Every structure is written in structure tokens, then in C-alpha cells.
Amino acid sequence: SQQGEEDPQALSIQEGENATMNCSYKTSINNLQWYRQNSGRGLVHLILIRSNEREKHSGRLRVTLDTSKKSSSLLITASRAADTASYFCATGSSGTYKYIFGTGTRLKVLA
Amino acid sequence: DAMVIQNPRYQVTQFGKPVTLSCSQTLNHNVMYWYQQKSSQAPKLLFHYYDKDFNNEADTPDNFQSRRPNTSFCFLDIRSPGLGDAAMYLCATSRRSGSAYEQYFGPGTRLTVT
């Protein structure tokens, strides 16, 4: 069964705006990762946040993790048309290298 | 550049005709994965290897088999493809980062079943 549920399922914004997508999960995790997938392509790793971290930044990406609420958010600031893609969260448990992917958010950035 | 390579990128097979999808990596990672992804859905893990140790997901159909002859190569065999097996098949490898594993994906093979 899927671990993560993401919302919104789809998001359409103007270039330059910020995009926020959320991931909720059900069981305890060791770490959570975010991936991007361009249409018809493989997934690209964006950022990893561990269960003892609350926030991480990478360029225009900001990820937060609230283990008490079992949720994470991905913020993309100053979005560009090239950010148009699907974004997935993936959760990993301690002692395993298996990850369960969330349902994904389809982001469309309009130029 | 180190990478994960999948061949072919597009595969068409007939209903019931066995098909093999290939994955190779130059990253020298211990762990390799096969995922199935249907349109607008999340990738679904089929199986994974840690070195030669094979781990099958409980809900992976028996129709799907895998082989990993060495660290670099991994194969997905679909013994009798049905129309419902049409999907994108993604191969990934992972390396350890502390207690976590970051995954590196290939471009995928899109399988069409006619």
C-alpha cells in the first residue's frame, strides 16, 4: 500500500510565483526524500531530509518535516517554466533501503 | 558520467509473448530496484536487490521475474505480458547516505502490449 499521500494532486501557477506541495504519511520514518519527474522520464533526486531534521534548503527548494504530524512540504521559490514536472515524496524506514512513493503532485508553471 | 542506463527506451510486445527489460549502472551501487509506473500514478516497487540478495514485494505478480548476474546489470523478465502490464518500468540504484539511501533512476522503458 502507498505510504504517502500528496496534495494538491495538481497545481498551476505563474512563473515567478512560489509553489508549495505537501506530503503526508502513515508510519514512522527514518527519512523522507523528494523527487522530480519530467513527463515520460525517470525520477531525479532533489533533496533528502532525515527524521531528526526540521528543515533543509537546496537552491530554490525548501523542505520541512513535521514528524509529529507525519507530514512534509516542498516549497519551490520563484518558479520557472522548467520546474513543470511531477513531484513525489518517498519515505524510508530505519534499517531498510526500500522506499514508498507518494501519489505525486503535477506542477505546471505558466510562462 | 556515472549513470543508470535502461534499454530499450520503448518496447512493444504482443500479449503473452515474453519480454526482457535491461538495466545497467556505472555507479557501482549495491542496491538496485525495479519499479512499475502507470500513467499519472506513483512508482510501485516490484523488487529490489542488495548485492545478490533478492527481495520480492508481496504483491508483485509471479509473472514478473528478475535477474542480477553481477553488480552492474539487472534484468526484468515478464513471462506472459498482459494488457495490464503496459506501463513505464523504472530501474534505480541507491547509495548509502548515513542511514538513508538516495536513489538514482534510469530514464525508464515504456512497455506497450498489443
Side-chain angles (χ1 to χ4, degrees):
Chain A
S1 62
Q2 286 180 342
Q3 169 77 304
E5 296 289 331
E6 293 179 61
D7 78 273
Q9 288 187 351
L11 179 60
S12 186
I13 58 173
Q14 294 293 131
E15 205 166 29
E17 292 180 339
N18 296 342
T20 299
M21 48 207 92
N22 304 293
C23 169
S24 60
Y25 55 91
K26 297 187 176 76
T27 61
S28 295
I29 63 169
N30 171 272
N31 66 93
L32 184 146
Q33 303 181 33
W34 284 92
Y35 289 82
R36 182 186 75 229
Q37 185 178 35
N38 291 90
S39 180
R41 305 299 298 273
L43 282 77
V44 174
H45 182 267
L46 294 176
I47 197 165
L48 179 154
I49 187 165
R50 301 175 197 278
S51 58
N52 61 353
E53 298 174 310
R54 292 295 167 259
E55 187 171 314
K56 282 192 86 168
H57 297 257
S58 177
R60 295 184 294 112
L61 306 180
R62 173 178 169 256
V63 168
T64 62
L65 179 64
D66 187 335
T67 53
S68 66
K69 294 181 179 177
K70 292 187 169 57
S71 67
S72 174
S73 67
L74 170 66
L75 168 67
I76 304 173
T77 59
S79 63
R80 305 167 182 166
D83 295 327
T84 295
S86 291
Y87 292 81
F88 293 91
C89 66
T91 52
S93 302
S94 183
T96 178
Y97 31 82
K98 188 171 91 169
Y99 285 81
I100 305 298
F101 281 81
T103 50
T105 293
R106 292 188 307 280
L107 173 66
K108 188 169 185 178
V109 181
L110 304 168
Chain B
D1 286 342
M3 57 175 60
V4 181
I5 302 159
Q6 289 189 245
N7 286 305
R9 293 292 311 280
Y10 300 91
Q11 176 74 57
V12 180
T13 191
Q14 292 177 336
F15 183 94
K17 185 174 180 182
V19 65
T20 296
L21 309 182
S22 301
C23 177
S24 63
Q25 56 139 336
T26 59
L27 298 162
N28 203 32
H29 289 169
N30 296 96
V31 191
M32 292 188 80
Y33 309 79
W34 278 106
Y35 290 90
Q36 179 194 64
Q37 186 181 29
K38 296 189 176 179
S39 183
S40 300
Q41 294 185 20
K44 178 180 177 297
L45 183 64
L46 296 173
F47 11 66
H48 65 285
Y49 287 88
Y50 189 99
D51 291 329
K52 289 228 170 206
D53 290 337
F54 175 71
N55 297 272
N56 195 31
E57 291 302 295
D59 56 355
T60 298
D62 292 339
N63 199 23
F64 291 81
Q65 304 286 316
S66 183
R67 297 169 282 135
R68 189 179 185 187
N70 54 51
T71 300
S72 302
F73 287 88
C74 195
F75 301 96
L76 171 62
D77 301 308
I78 308 177
R79 292 192 295 190
S80 182
L83 297 178
D85 297 327
M88 175 77 89
Y89 290 87
L90 297 165
C91 174
T93 69
S94 70
R95 68 177 180 96
R96 189 162 183 162
S97 174
S99 59
Y101 288 82
E102 296 179 19
Q103 293 183 80
Y104 295 77
F105 282 82
T109 294
R110 183 166 295 283
L111 179 68
T112 299
V113 182
T114 60

